[in-house]
Amino acid sequence: MVLVDGMFSFLQPSPGGASQHAGRFLAWMERTGWEKLQHLLLVALAGLALLLAVKLVTRAVRRAVDDGNDKVTTDAERRAETLGSVLTNTARVAVVAFLLLMVLSEFGVNIGPLVAGAGIAGVALGFGAQSLVKDVISGFFLLLENQFGVGDIINVDDRHIGTVERMTLRVTQLRDSEGRAHFVPNGSIVRVVVLSKDFARARVEVEVGYDTDPDRAFEVLKELGRKLHEDRPDQVLEPLEVKGVEILGASGFTILTLTKTAPGAQWEVARELRRRTLVAFREAGIDIPYPQRVVHHRGVPGPDLDS
């Protein structure tokens, strides 16, 4: 604190007036001020260099994994984007904290007790904020194991379904189909189902009446799948596969179909396949049954009207 007092001693009232204040300030600058400013400038430049290096590294990694197709985001691109944002945020916090400590140290503040007190406060905060620590640790392993990344469509514990927009060490942000944002703490994530990992499958079940020939219905569906694959090769990776009769229902039997699609395209492909199935079945004369019920009436003999 002696250095701080010396720095601001020129602000104390003195009979010399403004000229004496200026003289004290210049004397302090010549004695220690310029040296301190040089040290702080070097620290600031080092911090800026670190941030610039992190930015260049993340940009280089993104360019290295970029496949040149802006319409399709690969798994490597999503992982690079996620790790780049986390690394940038971490570097910013570290630079600001280091710069603050160096400023205090240059102006005579003993940062040893401050660092020790921060360590003790960190331990106390760890006990008091166990959920926060759990979130951070879980977020670290989520990123390390590359379970999912920005741009993936995930289902978290059957409660949150959406596209990952942002990931940090503490929270994962999702955007569902209705535009609602979900902020899920990483420590609360127990089970994650990734719906857009490498590829997906569109599951479509079609019910037809019992008077329909199953083999004929199979052929119509396979032809549908072949045309859909030709029309949308970027979404449909393989032609439709008819698995067979899945359910024997009250009004008809259900045929199960699976179509391999690009990641995240399974819902759009399934909707288009259902539309084409309706049109094709009408043209082929195959009925999709309405709910039916057979009622057996046991009549009670009425009165004899002839007697």
Side-chain angles (χ1 to χ4, degrees):
M1 298 303 294
V2 175
L3 295 175
V4 177
D5 294 338
M7 176 183 175
F8 294 103
S9 61
F10 66 90
L11 296 177
Q12 300 298 326
S14 62
S19 60
Q20 190 170 359
H21 291 320
R24 290 183 177 180
F25 176 72
L26 292 176
W28 178 83
M29 289 295 293
E30 291 178 357
R31 186 172 61 253
T32 58
W34 292 115
E35 183 180 356
K36 293 183 180 300
L37 289 179
Q38 290 176 0
H39 290 171
L40 294 179
L41 182 60
L42 290 176
V43 172
L45 290 176
L48 291 176
L50 176 61
L51 293 178
L52 181 61
V54 171
K55 184 177 181 179
L56 292 177
V57 169
T58 54
R59 183 178 298 178
V61 172
R62 289 168 182 165
R63 288 181 178 178
V65 300
D66 188 10
D67 60 352
N69 188 357
D70 296 334
K71 296 182 179 180
V72 179
T73 303
T74 63
D75 182 73
E77 291 175 345
R78 288 193 294 267
R79 187 177 186 185
E81 182 69 24
T82 302
L83 292 177
S85 63
V86 172
L87 184 60
T88 301
N89 293 332
T90 304
R92 287 175 181 173
V93 173
V95 168
V96 171
F98 181 71
L99 182 60
L100 180 60
L101 291 176
M102 291 303 299
V103 169
L104 294 177
S105 177
E106 286 295 328
F107 286 105
V109 178
N110 187 5
I111 63 174
L114 180 62
V115 174
I120 296 175
V123 174
L125 183 63
F127 283 107
Q130 296 183 18
S131 61
L132 178 62
V133 176
K134 182 180 178 182
D135 292 340
V136 173
I137 295 176
S138 299
F140 173 77
F141 282 103
L142 284 176
L143 294 174
L144 181 65
E145 297 173 358
N146 190 30
Q147 297 181 14
F148 56 86
V150 175
D152 278 333
I153 303 174
I154 64 174
N155 181 352
V156 180
D157 299 327
D158 292 329
R159 293 183 298 174
H160 308 280
I161 302 177
T163 303
V164 180
E165 287 191 336
R166 180 169 166 266
M167 283 186 66
T168 65
L169 290 178
R170 194 186 70 84
V171 69
T172 297
Q173 178 182 343
L174 307 178
R175 182 78 62 176
D176 63 18
S177 59
E178 298 179 5
R180 297 174 297 183
H182 300 247
F183 294 88
V184 184
N186 293 328
S188 65
I189 298 176
V190 177
R191 183 174 62 90
V192 177
V193 178
V194 182
L195 306 177
S196 58
K197 192 76 169 180
D198 299 332
F199 66 92
R201 281 194 172 91
R203 178 189 176 104
V204 176
E205 296 180 353
V206 181
E207 186 177 6
V208 297
Y210 279 114
D211 56 348
T212 302
D213 182 6
D215 295 333
R216 183 163 176 263
F218 293 169
E219 292 299 326
V220 173
L221 290 173
K222 290 179 181 178
E223 181 64 18
L224 262 178
R226 186 186 63 80
K227 292 182 179 179
L228 185 62
H229 177 54
E230 293 178 354
D231 295 341
R232 301 189 178 188
D234 56 333
Q235 292 183 327
V236 182
L237 304 181
E238 295 179 0
L240 174 146
E241 181 182 0
V242 178
K243 305 301 292 185
V245 177
E246 183 74 5
I247 300 174
L248 298 177
S251 304
F253 59 91
T254 301
I255 302 173
L256 173 63
T257 67
L258 294 176
T259 306
K260 188 175 182 180
T261 69
Q266 60 265 41
W267 298 284
E268 183 178 353
V269 170
R271 288 190 291 267
E272 177 63 16
L273 181 59
R274 294 188 186 99
R275 186 190 70 83
R276 296 193 181 196
T277 300
L278 285 174
V279 176
F281 276 13
R282 286 176 182 174
E283 294 177 352
I286 299 176
D287 294 329
I288 297 179
Y290 296 98
Q292 301 177 10
R293 178 177 296 176
V294 178
V295 179
H296 298 276
H297 178 69
R298 295 182 179 180
V300 178
D304 188 359
L305 299 180
D306 295 335
S307 59

